[in-house]
Amino acid sequence: MEKRLIDTLIRIVQSPETQFMDGAGLKDFRQRYGIGFPVGTTRVRFSDKDKAEIASLLKAKAGIDTDQVKPGAWQGLTRAEALDLGHNEKLARGAVKRDRISVKAVPGHALKLSGRHLSLPVYAHVDINWREIGALGHPVALVVENYEVFDGLHRTEVASALANAGYTDALVIYRGDATESRKDNVLAFLAAFELPVILFGDIDPASLVEASRFPGVCAITVPADPVAAFKEFGNGTLYTRQVGQLGPAFERLLNSASPGLRAASGWVHAHRKGLVQESMIGRDLRLSILTA
């Protein structure tokens, strides 16, 4: 990650604005990490959630704390002085955890990788270089947005929902963050094995827009009783903030050709609330799988 891009990313994280000019370096960054939404042909929008991911990525890759370091802080410094701002040795290395993804099986099932069947305890998963997987015994992937849900998947009702929809033997993958199972690694793995994707994430404008753009999506995971779920666990502040940032990108989902995205965005719009995925842990909240 070169210094000019680092300066740009720090400015984005520290700015109250949400839209920025989409230069070549920023475009490459977005395509690599799947962060941000294009606005027309020259600008890009970064939500609060996107900015938090960028800050985490800068911390992980370059040792840069965006709460402390200002853009252009390297100008005029010696290499030794620059170490106080970030870890230059990290800037010279390749991507953090290159090609590594975090995977597990649906609760109650075995993980089937390279001809081996692995029965993992709860709160466990495999961190693996996907290029070393010789064969895969799962026909579909369940991509989980939030780590807490991925880690405690056995405390959700997703296994029953998958079984009812005929997806019993899904491979579960953490969609990733800046340091673990990064999205670019996940997308490369899914493309290489040509796996159809079921998304299990937040039911809010930002996550639904991302779902509409996620490659290979065949279905999404939603509450079986959305009225009750939104009434009890819905977050109005989340909806208001994200709708203002996303604009027409979310509005288009209300008339989407995808039955699942159309239904889910309709619930969000009708209730004026978002539903975070963590609300589905340990509450016996029944889930359904809808075709995307």
Side-chain angles (χ1 to χ4, degrees), residues 5 21-33 35 40-44 46:
L5 175 60
M21 293 300 297
D22 194 18
L26 194 56
K27 189 172 303 222
D28 288 343
F29 171 82
R30 289 195 300 100
Q31 291 174 345
R32 180 172 181 79
Y33 294 102
I35 301 174
T41 58
T42 62
R43 298 183 70 81
V44 59
F46 291 100

Side-chain angles (χ1 to χ4, degrees), residues 62-288:
I64 294 170
D65 185 345
T66 54
D67 290 332
Q68 303 294 328
V69 178
K70 300 299 182 184
W74 287 273
Q75 299 300 323
L77 297 183
T78 66
R79 289 176 62 87
E81 290 169 334
L83 286 173
D84 292 331
L85 300 178
H87 305 315
N88 275 359
E89 69 277 11
K90 288 190 176 181
L91 295 179
R93 292 176 183 170
V96 176
K97 286 197 171 184
R98 183 183 299 275
D99 297 330
R100 302 194 75 85
I101 57 174
S102 296
V103 296
K104 65 198 307 181
V106 174
H109 294 266
L111 180 61
K112 302 173 184 176
L113 302 177
S114 299
R116 298 184 180 183
H117 290 201
L118 307 175
S119 294
L120 301 176
V122 297
Y123 296 113
H125 66 267
V126 171
D127 177 317
I128 189 170
N129 184 325
W130 70 262
R131 295 184 186 277
E132 299 303 316
I133 299 174
L136 189 64
H138 303 271
V140 65
L142 177 75
V143 176
V144 182
E145 179 177 354
N146 297 302
Y147 183 82
E148 184 179 352
V149 177
F150 174 75
D151 189 44
L153 197 69
H154 59 285
R155 298 181 59 219
T156 75
E157 299 300 312
V158 74
S160 296
L162 290 168
N164 290 338
Y167 296 112
T168 302
D169 212 8
L171 174 72
V172 183
I173 308 175
Y174 174 40
R175 172 236 183 257
D177 52 40
T179 58
E180 179 169 354
S181 195
R182 287 201 330 263
K183 187 179 177 182
D184 58 329
N185 296 340
V186 171
L187 292 177
F189 164 73
L190 294 171
F193 281 86
E194 299 182 334
L195 286 178
V197 172
I198 304 167
L199 290 179
F200 186 18
D202 298 339
I203 310 296
D204 61 22
S207 290
L208 292 174
V209 168
E210 181 179 1
S212 71
R213 299 168 175 171
F214 202 99
V217 173
C218 66
I220 62 172
T221 308
V222 299
D225 186 347
V227 174
F230 276 89
K231 181 178 179 180
E232 187 167 0
F233 305 116
N235 185 323
T237 302
L238 186 65
Y239 169 85
T240 302
R241 184 175 70 245
Q242 292 186 1
V243 163
Q245 294 171 344
L246 292 169
F250 173 69
E251 294 174 7
R252 285 193 290 269
L253 295 184
L254 298 172
N255 297 308
S256 171
S258 158
L261 291 174
R262 187 170 64 249
S265 60
W267 302 332
V268 170
H269 179 71
H271 292 277
R272 299 296 195 274
K273 294 179 179 179
L275 188 68
V276 296
Q277 190 181 16
E278 288 86 347
S279 65
M280 304 174 195
I281 299 177
R283 292 183 170 89
D284 297 323
L285 185 67
R286 291 189 304 109
L287 300 171
S288 293

